[in-house]
């Protein structure tokens, strides 16, 4: 299946899930419910990669299926007034000052 620019592949009775390419960027969109990305292969990962600034690829976030952990491979930048919460109760956090 080959689709030209600015055409979205539509899924579901109400076209609520869409995948497409808009000439200068690509997009995955859902308009209803949660969006799940599953890897059912035993002890395997989901890896989020992007350009490394010099033409190659770098890992940014790895969901590690063998250790059931999340590895952040790059710096995390909190924008002004945003917090990084460290517990479920929302009372322990790091705040950008």
């Amino acid at each position: 299946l080959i689709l030209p620019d600015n055409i979205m592949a539509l899924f579901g009775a109400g076209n609520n899930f869409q995948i497409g390419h808009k000439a200068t960027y690509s997009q995955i969109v859902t308009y209803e419910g949660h969006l799940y990305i599953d890897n059912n292969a035993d002890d395997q990962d989901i890896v989020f990669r992007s350009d490394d600034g010099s033409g190659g690829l770098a890992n940014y976030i790895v969901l590690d299926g063998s250790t059931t952990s999340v590895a952040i491979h790059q710096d995390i930048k909190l924008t002004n007034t945003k917090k990084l919460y460290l517990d479920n109760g929302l009372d322990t956090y790091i705040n950008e000052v």
Side-chain angles (χ1 to χ4, degrees):
L1 178 64
I2 299 174
L3 301 174
D5 289 346
N6 301 312
I7 300 294
M8 299 294 281
L10 309 175
F11 300 87
N15 299 327
N16 293 323
F17 181 65
Q18 303 176 3
I19 300 174
H21 180 71
K22 301 281 189 169
T24 58
Y25 64 93
S26 299
Q27 196 172 28
I28 298 173
V29 181
T30 185
Y31 291 98
E32 185 176 331
H34 300 294
L35 175 64
Y36 289 89
I37 299 173
D38 297 332
N39 181 352
N40 289 316
D42 287 347
D43 294 331
Q44 298 303 305
D45 305 334
I46 295 176
V47 181
F48 292 89
R49 302 186 306 169
S50 190
D51 181 65
D52 65 359
S54 61
L57 286 174
N59 291 355
Y60 281 72
I61 301 172
V62 176
L63 309 180
D64 190 319
S66 61
T67 63
T68 61
S69 63
V70 177
I72 307 294
H73 291 269
Q74 306 299 328
D75 292 340
I76 296 175
K77 297 178 184 178
L78 296 178
T79 58
N80 290 342
T81 72
K82 298 303 173 191
K83 299 173 182 144
L84 175 63
Y85 290 98
L86 303 175
D87 65 350
N88 290 336
L90 302 178
D91 52 354
T92 304
Y93 59 88
I94 297 172
N95 191 30
E96 189 280 327
V97 290

